[in-house]
Amino acid sequence: MAEFWLISAPGEKSNQQSWERMNTVTTKANLSSNFKFTIPDLKVGTLDALVSLSDELGKLDTFAESVLKKIAHSMSDMMEDSEDKVQENLLANGVDLVTYLTRFQWDMAKYPIQQSLHTLYEVMAKQISQIDTDLKARSVAYSNIKANLQGLERKAVGNLLTRTLTDIVNKDDFVLDSEYLTTLLVVVPKANYIMWQKTYESLSDLVVPRSTKKLMEDSEGGLFTVTLFKKAVDEFKAKARENKFVVREFNFNEKELQSEKEEMTRLAADKKQQYGPLLRWLKVNFSEAFIAWIHVKALRVSVESVLRYGLPVNFQAVLLQPNKKSLKRLRGVLNALYKHLDGVAAASVADAVVDIPGLSIGNQDYYSYVCFKIDLNLIDQK
């Protein structure tokens, strides 16, 4: 994906002239690809209201981007981090993000321009907040199912000392309901198989002869049964340890084993059942949140342009896709092109009224023109 700069070129005799001047100086040296970013005539209101709204829009901009990243992360998590597959599903209004951004058109149905800027801000803020709230609820439900299922699956693929035995042992492998006898499970290293067969009957005088059976084998060893008298269990365990045989603590309970099997089956079915609807919800609401986010950017450019350049409203919004190898040169060309605005910006700072985007506060860079970055890399980079 790509990074874009959304700037406003201060008006000259016409917006077309502003566009042509900026476009000429940036494209002739192949510094960027440029696109007109059309913002309709919005109700400006008072300057005091714009100052307050400027701060609120900045916060909403950051919040909207964070919501988009959370949705993209949830989608990536569901698709097992297949980034290419995830990117195919990150669409806005049915098209890829670059296409939507470079062909941006204000959505009059969702955000009627007859309404005040503050009302438009409230509509966008409510929409994005609702998506965030719904995302948390839906993600938690799915994540819990996935985590519980993964926990059971991990138990099913561990080594023979720790893994679940639901798919290994059967009722017929054990002596059950006996007053005197019991069956133990013993993990034997592969290198010690012969020794086990030769010695297990002698680890106690109360071992039932020829009672061992191998139930399962992995890369490290095997799981064997052995039947003996209950009163000899402690002696057998001690002798087994001396010979590097590990007696695994296990009591056969058919109901518990069946319950664990059913739980895994149920969780797998629940995960499969929720996968489709949740993925569709994520795709739809990513689109909605992205559209709202770009409209927030448009509002910010409009508000900051009026605060920076004054009334009457006279600016041309432009979307630049910088050439990665020419970022510094592009910034230098833009700074030179709009350096005459420094006086206006300085006056605004002196009045201590307007928070100018790009002003050198803390670690921020100063630009004499309105500029906001739009980073479309919304998937966490591994």
Side-chain angles (χ1 to χ4, degrees), residues 270-282:
D270 286 351
K271 180 185 175 186
K272 185 176 181 180
Q273 186 178 25
Q274 289 199 22
Y275 182 89
L278 179 56
L279 184 59
R280 285 193 294 274
W281 186 92
L282 290 171

Side-chain angles (χ1 to χ4, degrees), residues 5-28:
W5 296 352
L6 181 56
I7 73 169
S8 74
E12 300 181 21
K13 291 182 179 179
S14 69
N15 287 346
Q16 181 63 23
Q17 190 174 349
S18 301
W19 154 259
E20 290 175 354
R21 185 179 180 210
M22 187 283 306
N23 192 46
T24 299
V25 297
T26 57
T27 57
K28 67 180 182 181

